[in-house]
Each structure stands twice: as C-alpha cells, then as structure tokens.
C-alpha cells in the first residue's frame, strides 16, 4: 500500500472556507482506480497544518490521480481561491506540501 500526505497551512481567515471545501468536496478522487480511502485531519491546536492522508494500492495510482482531470475537478474551488487572492495582490490563503510513504507494517 502507498500513502500520500498533503500538509496544508491556511491563513487564519481561510480555515473555515478550507473546511467547507472538504465538507462539500466533489469526491472526484473516489472514482480513481487504486484509491482506497482518505482522511482530513484538523490540528488540535487550530493553528498547525491540516493533514490530508490518502491511501492507494500503488504509487502509480496516486501519480495518475495527480495528473488527472479528476484532480483538477477535485481542487478547482481551492485553485480559484488562490488565483483570486493573487489577482488581488493578496497572500495565498493556503500552502500545500506533499510527502509520500510506503506502508511497511500495520
């Protein structure tokens, strides 16, 4: 099994919007071959990074997701928010970093 974790930092003003986006997500990832499940974790202190943990059969399945139409569909609203902030000369409301892992024990 393969796991990808997206570490997302949001501005304080964007946190509620970010959680709304995930609460009403398109579920496009759910249609991808090899996708197993996803968790969205809020930091307990309400200040740190959100973790988006996705589980896949293989790294190849995850890579196909990141290069798919479904990926763009699933992230469209967040990408629009970033684009709007930049057009207005504002700080991006969120930043994201991916790290990937191979599961070696359960």
């Amino acid at each position: 099994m393969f796991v990808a974790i997206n570490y997302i930092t949001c501005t304080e003003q964007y946190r509620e919007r970010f959680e709304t986006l995930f609460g009403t997500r398109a579920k496009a990832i759910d249609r991808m071959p090899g996708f197993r499940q996803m968790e969205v974790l809020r930091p307990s202190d309400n200040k740190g990074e959100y973790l988006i943990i996705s589980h896949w059969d293989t790294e190849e399945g995850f890579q196909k997701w990141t290069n798919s139409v479904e990926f763009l569909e699933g992230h469209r609203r967040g990408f629009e928010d970033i684009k709007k902030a930049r057009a207005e000369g504002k700080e991006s409301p969120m930043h994201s970093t991916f790290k990937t892992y191979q599961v070696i024990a359960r």
Side-chain angles (χ1 to χ4, degrees):
M1 182 172 7
F2 181 80
V3 175
I5 302 177
N6 193 356
Y7 299 83
I8 299 180
T9 304
C10 296
T11 62
E12 186 176 334
Q13 306 89 320
Y14 194 73
R15 295 174 73 79
E16 184 177 336
R17 166 78 172 150
F18 177 80
E19 291 185 19
T20 297
L21 291 177
F22 266 97
T24 60
R25 68 186 184 88
K27 300 187 180 189
I29 194 172
D30 299 24
R31 299 190 300 266
M32 294 301 297
F35 172 73
R36 291 191 175 193
Q37 68 180 33
M38 179 177 65
E39 294 101 18
V40 180
L41 307 179
R42 176 193 307 129
S44 296
D45 63 5
N46 287 324
K47 296 179 184 177
E49 297 170 314
Y50 287 89
L51 302 182
I52 314 305
I53 305 169
S54 60
H55 300 261
W56 299 84
D57 290 335
T58 64
E59 182 176 2
E60 180 184 13
F62 170 73
Q63 294 300 331
K64 286 182 179 180
W65 156 245
T66 62
N67 294 300
S68 70
V69 171
E70 288 85 358
F71 181 87
L72 293 175
E73 176 188 346
H75 293 83
R76 179 184 51 80
R77 297 177 300 165
F79 290 157
E80 287 172 355
D81 291 347
I82 292 169
K83 183 178 177 180
K84 179 181 177 196
R86 289 183 181 155
E88 295 173 352
K90 296 179 181 176
E91 172 188 5
S92 178
M94 68 178 154
H95 299 278
S96 166
T97 304
F98 266 108
K99 293 185 182 180
T100 58
Y101 301 86
Q102 295 290 330
V103 176
I104 59 171
R106 286 176 154 261

